[in-house]
Amino acid sequence: MTYITGHWSGGPYQPTWLDKKDYQCGIVLNTKTGKAQGEKWHNYTERTEHTWDRNTDNIAVSIIGMVAPSSISNFGPCPITQAQIDEFCLCVAEICVLKGLDPMKAFRTHAEWAVIDGYGVLSYDPETRWDLAVLSPLKKAWPTRAAAEAQVKATGDLLRKKIVVLKKGIIKPRDFHYKAI
């Protein structure tokens, strides 16, 4: 089965060479206008290095941002924005249309894969990943690992539901998806 994994890049709002290497598609924020734009950097069949042990048949779509978040309540100087989240969901929905995928089965956040594979939030693994565990800063930290993992699942479910709704309205994905790399 082909999967689509959602990420944030952990960098500034403009993509770095590493982002363009590791993700097939990035959601870039124009800081002057506040608008977000999807950019395709690799063919969707090309393998990239984005999720530990889950890169084969897995399309990586990343929201470009989230440099230096200090905690779950402080997303740092380049937090993900609602415009990026909306563009991200539309981009994933369009990829689902192109590939004939059911978002409820095919889409996971990197935080969800990390929980499944044992390096998720509050696992104390040095390689902990919490990409898209939450979409905006929380007022306080999770009290337990179980609470954190429940939030990760709830956020993934919220994104999947939005992707499903958007997918229903897509007749033809936007042209950048067809760009040969």
Side-chain angles (χ1 to χ4, degrees), residues 147-163:
E149 290 178 358
Q151 177 68 58
V152 166
K153 182 180 181 326
T155 301
D157 288 344
L158 176 77
L159 290 169
R160 277 185 284 283
K161 288 175 186 171
K162 185 169 182 168
I163 293 163

Side-chain angles (χ1 to χ4, degrees), residues 23-24 35 44 51 56 64 77 93 95 97 105 107 111 119 141 146 163 166 168-169 174 178:
Y23 307 117
Q24 281 94 340
K35 292 185 179 181
Y44 297 136
T51 305
T56 302
I64 305 303
I95 294 170
V97 168
K105 295 177 183 173
F107 175 78
Y119 65 102
I163 293 163
L166 290 168
K168 289 178 183 175
R174 292 169 292 171
Y178 297 99

